[in-house]
Amino acid sequence: STDNDEVQLIKTKEEVITTITVTIDISKKRNAESELFEYVKSSPTDFSLVVTEKTTVRVHKTMLCARSSVFRTMIESNMKEASTNEMQISDFDPVVVEAFVEFLYTDCCDIEQLDAMQLFAFADKYNIVGLSEICEVHLSNTITDENAIERLLFSQPFSNLKRKIIDSIVATGNVCDQKFVESVGPDL
């Protein structure tokens, strides 16, 4: 079986609705996204994300605005970033910012190789919904005895993530972790 995604196009003409189902081979979609990412990476950019003194990631304002309401507000307003065409990001590692840029253009990133909690915090701070969702799924699906409490504590300010983490801890059946969850109560 192939890895396919179905897209439904609905056309309305004189109150007659026609539904057309298009089957897309996901591997071809990913290849096209990869080609787009490589092309865009090599095309002239108009905005810089300055992460460290030695690391600046160049991007397109259009992509930032399309994917993040926070970046859109900065770029389309009278904020400093709009006039300087750059933004300082000192609270995240360069690898996290680079992963965000990969996601920005491709809807994909290799989350297995990253600090998913830091990537989630980045996505939350800049309101990058799709990336937040990917991180939530990864963080809740990779709960272990060793990381459960750390992830639960990390998730405290994020109600949706916290609920998924608690559900995953309870689903594993680890009595120690369940007692911890019960002892801190619902307000954690």
Side-chain angles (χ1 to χ4, degrees):
S1 96
T2 60
D3 192 11
N4 292 322
D5 198 8
E6 290 188 355
V7 177
Q8 290 192 348
L9 306 173
I10 300 175
K11 296 181 178 182
T12 304
K13 184 176 181 182
E14 301 173 8
E15 298 191 26
V16 175
I17 298 176
T18 305
T19 302
I20 303 168
T21 301
V22 179
T23 302
I24 300 169
D25 182 342
I26 296 297
S27 64
K28 289 180 183 175
K29 179 180 173 193
R30 289 189 182 124
N31 186 42
E33 289 168 345
S34 178
E35 289 172 5
L36 173 64
F37 181 59
E38 291 304 317
Y39 172 76
V40 172
K41 269 185 12 183
S42 66
S43 68
T45 56
D46 55 1
F47 199 82
S48 296
L49 301 174
V50 181
V51 188
T52 68
E53 200 172 285
K54 296 180 181 180
T55 306
T56 298
V57 181
R58 299 282 301 162
V59 295
H60 298 88
K61 287 183 197 178
T62 303
M63 294 302 294
L64 288 172
C65 291
R67 301 303 291 263
S68 166
S69 61
V70 174
F71 282 113
R72 183 172 40 255
T73 299
M74 276 188 244
I75 291 169
E76 293 179 350
S77 70
N78 291 328
M79 295 178 76
K80 175 181 79 170
E81 293 83 1
S83 61
T84 63
N85 290 322
E86 74 175 31
M87 178 183 160
Q88 301 290 323
I89 299 179
S90 59
D91 48 346
F92 293 98
D93 292 337
V95 68
V96 169
V97 177
E98 290 165 2
F100 156 67
V101 171
E102 179 181 354
F103 177 82
L104 186 74
Y105 291 98
T106 67
D107 263 346
C108 302
C109 69
D110 190 4
I111 197 164
E112 299 293 329
Q113 305 302 317
L114 300 166
D115 179 342
M117 289 189 296
Q118 194 178 65
L119 189 59
F120 177 84
F122 184 94
D124 182 72
K125 180 174 184 174
Y126 295 108
N127 195 28
I128 306 152
V129 177
L131 186 56
S132 295
E133 291 169 352
I134 288 171
C135 293
E136 282 180 359
V137 168
H138 176 78
L139 289 168
S140 62
N141 287 345
T142 56
I143 293 286
T144 65
D145 291 345
E146 293 77 29
N147 67 22
I149 292 173
E150 176 188 27
R151 290 194 181 172
L152 182 60
L153 293 172
F154 169 79
S155 69
Q156 183 176 359
F158 314 108
S159 60
N160 197 35
L161 176 61
K162 181 172 72 172
R163 174 60 20 225
K164 287 180 180 182
I165 297 291
I166 290 171
D167 290 347
S168 292
I169 290 171
V170 171
T172 64
N174 186 311
V175 177
C176 176
D177 291 338
Q178 287 180 16
K179 286 182 180 176
F180 174 78
V181 171
E182 291 167 3
S183 72
V184 295
D187 295 331
L188 175 67

